[in-house]
């Protein structure tokens, strides 16, 4: 019985700790980029087992690079040779970082494009895409209405280094900026910043009855008229949410901070975009404001 209570006390302590507190207690680097790996083993008996591991990216980058750069990985992950030249598509759509369909290719051009895309994909190196965001995500519409699978191009992105793909698209009239979508701070009406770092459950003395409460996340609004300088800082470093997660293990962003940006489009509409901020790039003023709001919410 005593060991049970010790375990409950330990679980309550860990649940009430922030990651930084947890890392300090156990001698870990809170800034280290962690990644998870699942490895499959085939035993001599023929049985397959799988184990999950966590490791620092700095220690595993070399083997990741070797795997990604290999023809075997690309064949298994993308299966481009299984879909090109098969007339599977009614059209291909190219979506930019704002979820806008920048242009489309008809069925007549889809297979020809995939031939060019296959060349880029097979020659791509991890170093070419690890720290660079895509220009477009490729979506597809099946040529056969009876087709139930619509994700043949899932995970297909066009990067600035994909020369054959970009040249093909330009030959079809696409106007491409290899710098991607840039946010104009003059079009931002206001931003909402939400901090979820304190939005976690705090357990009471009796874990068995789950006595707990959850602190509401702090939210602050910044207006373009009064906070134009700060909004310019955000626009300069922000990454639109649509592509922020692509290969994000190599491009970590600020944890627990969401930014909702209200942006005036060319057509005069105001769209809201979620953006991510690269690690260490969140303006200090916002950090200070969030800390103050969190302390006030906690009664300090």
């Amino acid at each position: 019985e005593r060991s049970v209570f010790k375990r409950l006390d330990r679980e309550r302590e860990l649940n009430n700790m922030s990651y930084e507190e947890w890392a300090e207690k156990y001698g870990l680097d809170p800034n280290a980029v962690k990644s998870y790996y699942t490895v499959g083993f085939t035993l001599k008996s023929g049985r397959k087992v799988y184990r999950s591991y966590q490791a620092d990216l700095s220690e595993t980058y070399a083997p990741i690079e070797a795997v990604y750069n290999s023809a075997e990985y690309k064949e298994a992950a993308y299966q481009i040779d299984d879909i090109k030249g098969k007339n599977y598509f009614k059209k291909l759509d190219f979506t930019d970082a704002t979820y806008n369909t920048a242009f489309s290719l008809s069925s007549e051009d889809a297979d020809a494009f995939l031939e060019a895309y296959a060349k880029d994909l097979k020659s791509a190196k991890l170093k070419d895409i690890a720290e660079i965001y895509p220009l477009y995500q490729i979506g597809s519409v099946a040529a056969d209405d009876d087709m139930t699978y619509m994700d043949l191009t899932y995970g297909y992105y066009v990067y600035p280094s994909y020369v054959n793909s970009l040249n093909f698209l330009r030959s079809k009239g696409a106007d491409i900026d290899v710098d991607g979508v840039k946010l104009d701070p003059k079009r931002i009406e206001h931003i909402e910043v939400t901090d979820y770092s304190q939005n976690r459950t705090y357990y009471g003395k009796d874990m068995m009855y789950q006595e707990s409460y959850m602190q509401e996340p702090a939210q602050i609004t910044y207006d373009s008229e009064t906070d134009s300088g700060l909004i310019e800082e955000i626009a300069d470093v922000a990454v639109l949410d649509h592509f922020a997660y692509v290969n994000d293990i190599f491009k970590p962003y600020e944890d627990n901070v969401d930014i909702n940006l209200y942006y005036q489009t060319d057509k005069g509409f105001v769209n809201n975009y979620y953006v991510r901020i690269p690690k260490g790039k969140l303006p200090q003023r916002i950090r200070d404001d969030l800390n103050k709001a969190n302390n006030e919410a906690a009664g300090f």
Side-chain angles (χ1 to χ4, degrees), residues 47-277:
R47 186 167 70 94
K48 290 187 176 181
V49 296
Y50 297 87
R51 297 289 183 269
S52 294
Y53 304 94
Q54 185 184 38
D56 289 353
L57 179 62
S58 60
E59 298 175 359
T60 56
Y61 185 90
I64 291 175
E65 183 177 37
V67 169
Y68 181 84
N69 292 350
S70 68
E72 294 83 0
Y73 170 81
K74 292 174 181 175
E75 181 179 348
Y78 299 103
Q79 301 180 33
I80 185 76
D81 289 332
D82 292 335
I83 66 171
K84 67 183 180 68
K86 303 292 178 63
N87 297 314
Y88 280 149
F89 305 109
K90 185 179 296 184
K91 68 171 181 172
L92 295 178
D93 292 325
F94 295 79
T95 307
D96 66 20
T98 66
Y99 291 91
N100 174 58
T101 301
F103 40 84
S104 301
L105 291 179
S106 65
S107 58
E108 292 79 13
D109 293 325
D111 280 320
F113 168 78
L114 289 174
E115 289 288 346
Y117 185 75
K119 295 178 182 178
D120 292 324
L121 192 63
K122 292 177 180 180
S123 63
K125 303 298 182 184
L126 185 61
K127 63 180 179 63
D128 298 327
I129 67 172
E131 298 182 6
I132 299 174
Y133 293 98
L135 296 175
Y136 307 104
Q137 182 177 26
I138 304 175
S140 59
V141 177
D144 186 347
D145 293 334
D146 293 329
M147 277 181 145
T148 57
Y149 50 93
M150 298 296 292
D151 290 332
L152 288 175
T153 57
Y154 179 79
Y156 282 24
Y157 295 93
V158 179
Y159 287 87
S161 58
Y162 284 16
V163 176
N164 295 292
S165 301
L166 295 178
N167 285 342
F168 183 91
L169 294 173
R170 289 190 180 102
S171 74
K172 298 300 176 180
D175 183 15
I176 298 172
D177 184 350
V178 293
D179 291 328
V181 175
K182 293 294 183 182
L183 294 172
D184 182 355
K186 294 180 180 178
R187 294 193 176 194
I188 299 174
E189 292 194 346
H190 67 276
I191 62 174
E192 294 173 349
V193 182
T194 306
D195 177 18
Y196 292 96
S197 64
Q198 304 302 313
N199 186 222
R200 61 181 186 271
T201 301
Y202 290 80
Y203 292 93
K205 292 183 178 180
D206 194 341
M207 285 281 292
M208 298 179 71
Y209 290 96
Q210 296 290 296
E211 296 177 0
S212 64
Y213 71 91
M214 184 171 284
Q215 183 172 312
E216 289 298 316
Q219 187 174 81
I220 302 173
T221 299
Y222 298 97
D223 187 83
S224 60
E225 293 185 5
T226 56
D227 302 295
S228 59
L230 184 65
I231 286 178
E232 286 182 8
E233 286 187 63
I234 291 294
D236 187 50
V237 299
V239 179
L240 287 155
D241 186 75
H242 186 28
F243 290 156
Y245 298 100
V246 180
N247 300 324
D248 65 342
I249 187 64
F250 303 109
K251 304 181 286 287
Y253 48 81
E254 291 288 343
D255 299 322
N256 301 313
V257 177
D258 279 353
I259 296 183
N260 196 7
L261 182 149
Y262 290 79
Y263 194 82
Q264 190 173 57
T265 66
D266 290 334
K267 297 180 180 180
F269 300 111
V270 176
N271 289 344
N272 67 300
Y273 300 132
Y274 281 99
V275 297
R276 299 290 175 181
I277 304 300

Side-chain angles (χ1 to χ4, degrees), residues 1-12 205-208:
E1 183 178 358
R2 184 177 300 172
S3 64
V4 170
F5 283 112
K6 284 184 177 179
R7 177 176 59 80
L8 292 177
D9 285 341
R10 178 178 171 79
E11 288 180 4
R12 182 171 63 249
K205 292 183 178 180
D206 194 341
M207 285 281 292
M208 298 179 71

